[in-house]
Amino acid sequence: MTSPTPPKTAPIRVLIADDQDMVRTGFRFFLDAQPDITVVAEAADGEEAVALAREVRPDVCLLDIRMPKLDGLAATRLLAGPEVADPLRVVVVTTFDLDEYVYGALRGGACGFLLKDSGPALLAEAVRAAAAGDSLVSPSVTVRLLKHVTGAPEKAAPARPAPLTGSLTERELDVVRLVALGRTNAEIAAELYVSLSTVKTHLSSVQLKLAARNRVEIAAWAWQNGHAQPGA
């Protein structure tokens, strides 16, 4: 007897906003090729992005920063900011690796920040992470970002770990350290020789124990409490 086919999960609906036609085309081409992602709208400026996002209500909005009429940071605040009643999930994708942009995006409600040269695989992972309520920041900016955000000095001794450390298992701490160093879930799985689902299980447990909303807060906790170095 043939077993019933499991129901298909609806694809993640994405809006792309960028003032460059070639960038939008490239993103659409790659994302539409993913079996679990579909692009439902495109915008060439910030005002159009906000209007379309409010109308279409995509699962994830990919916003460039430098756009005409309304920049990506302002658009992020309008779509995902703390005063938005029903916020959307926004990932900022930009060419510009500037601290002020990273801080502005995350403080404005973005749940991800990627550089355009991060590659298509990381772009898809960021979309999936955002749709699942997680966060992903380009590994190339994560360590520097978290040092500044948490006020961790470059050469100071690590802070004493918080008492809560005792509630995390050694394996969970291993995962936390790698998150703080900007590793993706796939990279963590490879480095620890475990499955991707095991990494996700550990991260869910860590989020619960630390009362962290996403991986950015997990990484910030690691930096604040001296767990941001391998073997810490």
Side-chain angles (χ1 to χ4, degrees), residues 11-17 27-28 31-32 36-42 56-63 89 91 123-124 127-128 131:
I12 301 168
R13 301 167 63 253
V14 177
L15 175 146
I16 300 170
F27 282 3
R28 174 186 280 276
L31 293 176
D32 274 343
D36 58 337
I37 299 174
T38 184
V39 176
V40 295
E42 292 184 26
V56 178
R57 301 292 301 179
D59 300 308
V60 179
C61 302
L62 296 178
L63 303 184
R89 301 192 182 281
V91 175
L123 176 66
V127 167
R128 295 181 182 110

Side-chain angles (χ1 to χ4, degrees), residues 59-178:
D59 300 308
V60 179
C61 302
L62 296 178
L63 303 184
D64 186 23
I65 286 184
R66 295 190 177 181
M67 293 188 291
K69 297 185 180 179
L70 190 70
D71 68 40
L73 298 182
T76 297
R77 289 193 295 272
L78 290 173
L79 295 175
E83 297 183 359
V84 178
D86 190 12
L88 292 166
R89 301 192 182 281
V90 173
V91 175
V92 171
V93 188
T94 181
T95 306
F96 305 99
D97 181 10
L98 299 177
D99 287 346
E100 62 200 77
Y101 286 164
V102 183
Y103 304 152
L106 297 179
R107 288 170 180 164
C111 59
F113 186 96
L114 288 182
L115 299 180
K116 288 180 180 177
D117 63 4
S118 296
L122 200 60
L123 176 66
E125 186 167 344
V127 167
R128 295 181 182 110
D134 204 346
S135 298
L136 192 150
V137 178
S138 278
S140 60
V141 301
T142 298
V143 173
R144 188 189 73 244
L145 163 68
L146 290 169
K147 282 182 178 178
H148 286 297
V149 168
T150 63
E154 291 284 337
K155 297 182 180 180
R160 174 182 292 183
L164 187 58
T165 304
S167 68
L168 298 181
T169 67
E170 281 301 315
R171 184 54 91 187
E172 287 170 348
L173 281 172
D174 289 339
V175 171
V176 165
R177 292 180 192 113
L178 293 174

Side-chain angles (χ1 to χ4, degrees), residues 15-33:
L15 175 146
I16 300 170
D18 196 293
D19 62 340
Q20 297 183 52
D21 291 341
M22 289 184 64
V23 172
R24 295 198 309 275
T25 299
F27 282 3
R28 174 186 280 276
F29 179 81
F30 175 75
L31 293 176
D32 274 343

